[in-house]
Structures are given as structure tokens and as C-alpha cells.
Amino acid sequence: MHAYLRFELRRLIRDPRLTLFTVLGPVVTYLIFSPLAGDDRLEGVDAATALMVGLAGYGAVAGALTVAGSVAQERASGWLRQLRVTPLPPWRAVAAKALVAMFSGVPAVVAVGVAGRLQHDVELPVGRWAALVALLWLGTAPFALLGLAIGYGLAPHLAQSAVFLAFLALSVLGGLLVPVTYFPDALRHLAHVLPTYRFAELGWRSVAGRPPTVSGLALLLAWTLVFAALATGAYRRSTARD
């Protein structure tokens, strides 16, 4: 597993194109829309900081989900057939790939944080900046696993569309782009059970100096386990089929 993990990390470093794409989108969006944030307080922090965290999460989720496209291409090229003849168990192959996908979201978090500091003088203690990056990195686990489930389960031309739809729905309904404060009651209740809202909540509470909520962590863990089961099952089926 360690050898496979090192191999995948080297591949990620050598091909930064997808990472660059997931960084530019949220940074440009933040630079355009954050001046319109006003003086409201959202999720316990000022609006500019809340938007910074939301868009950092938006980029991190996008980075984690991009693994679906690469995995689908690997299936089409026969790479999974090569993995099948190794002694690497399915759950370890999925775990290593998910861990690499999680790293894909870190540059977006850092870049949007830098934009928030430069444009709106978002000032946080060093410990809170570190906590924000660490929590948003760890919190991408369910999205990396969802991307793997889609990539292992669908053909390349279908995987890209499925990822786009899943990302759009989860980002919008989870409050990464528009604060859930402005949602109708029914949509607000829906947002609170989605992994994207609970993921961003980690960031909002960390910049406010508050610990994560027990309910939020429980929901994120539940979504992680569900997506892990889906990804592992899809990996097994794909190696047996391809």
C-alpha cells in the first residue's frame, strides 16, 4: 500500500493541471463576489470570512472529486487489471487513492485563504489558519470516496457528467456558494444533513475558535462510511468486470 501511495502521489505532483483548475475557480469567484458580502455575520463570523471558508471548501471538494475522471480513464486503459494481480486488497487500494485525492484540495484552501488575507485583511492566529487547512483537508475524505465510487462504477464519458452534477448539487444545496441563512426552511433543513454543509461547518467553527459539533462530525463520519462502502464495492466490481 505504501508503494502504491507513493506512486500515486508522484503522479499527482507531475500533473498539476487539475489542481490549477480547482484553484483558479474559487479564487476568482472570491475576488469578484467578496466585496459584495457586506457587514453581515454568517455562520458565526463576518461575511467575508464566511465566504472565504465556503469557497475554500468549494475548491477542496472540486479537487477531491476530480479523482473520478482519472480513475475512469485508468479503468478504460486496463490499469485496474494490473492492480488486480497484485496482493493489494481492494480496501487498501481505495484508501490510498482517496488519500491522494484529498491532497488535491489543499492548494485551493491555501489559495483562497491567501486571497482573503490580501483582499479583506482576514486576520486569524497562526493556529486557526493551521486548523482551517487541516480540518478542510481531513473533511474532504467523503468527497474523495464519492469520486472513487463514481470513477470505478461508470465509464469515462458518464463519470465526468455524474461528478459535475454531484458537485453542483452538493455545493449549492450545502451552502458553499450561497449561505444557508438565505435558504427557505425546507432547503435549510436539507443542507444541514448534507456532507458539504457539515464539511464547511468545520471551517466556519475553526476560524471562530470553536470546536466542531458532535452532530456535524457524526454526519460526516456516516457519509464517509457510506461512500467508502460504495467505492470499495465499485472497485471490486470493476476489477472483476474489466
Side-chain angles (χ1 to χ4, degrees), residues 214-227:
V214 174
S215 60
L217 290 176
L219 277 168
L220 268 181
L221 178 59
W223 281 108
T224 301
L225 294 176
V226 169
F227 292 147

Side-chain angles (χ1 to χ4, degrees), residues 159-187:
Q160 295 288 358
S161 299
V163 163
F164 174 76
L165 292 175
F167 174 60
L168 184 63
L170 289 172
S171 297
V172 174
L173 296 177
L176 298 185
L177 297 176
V178 179
V180 299
T181 304
Y182 304 131
F183 285 11
D185 288 343
L187 286 181

Side-chain angles (χ1 to χ4, degrees), residues 5 8-9 12-13 19 22-23 59-60 63-64 66 95-110 133 136-138 140-141 144:
L5 181 59
E8 290 291 348
L9 284 173
L12 177 66
I13 294 171
T19 300
T22 60
V23 166
T66 55
K97 196 74 173 178
L99 186 59
V100 173
M102 290 166 63
F103 280 110
S104 299
V106 173
V109 176
V110 174
V133 174
L136 291 187
W137 172 65
L138 291 171
T140 56

Side-chain angles (χ1 to χ4, degrees), residues 87-124:
L88 190 66
W91 74 267
R92 289 192 175 185
V94 171
K97 196 74 173 178
L99 186 59
V100 173
M102 290 166 63
F103 280 110
S104 299
V106 173
V109 176
V110 174
V112 177
V114 170
R117 181 67 182 89
L118 294 177
Q119 182 163 357
H120 290 284
D121 294 323
V122 175
E123 294 187 8
L124 300 173

Side-chain angles (χ1 to χ4, degrees), residues 7-8 15 17-18 20 23 30 41 44 54 70 77-78 95 136 139 141 149 172 174-175 178 181-182 205 240:
F7 169 74
E8 290 291 348
D15 188 11
R17 289 173 295 176
L18 288 178
L20 182 63
V23 166
Y30 182 77
R41 290 189 66 81
S70 64
S77 68
L136 291 187
V172 174
V178 179
T181 304
Y182 304 131
R205 293 184 70 87

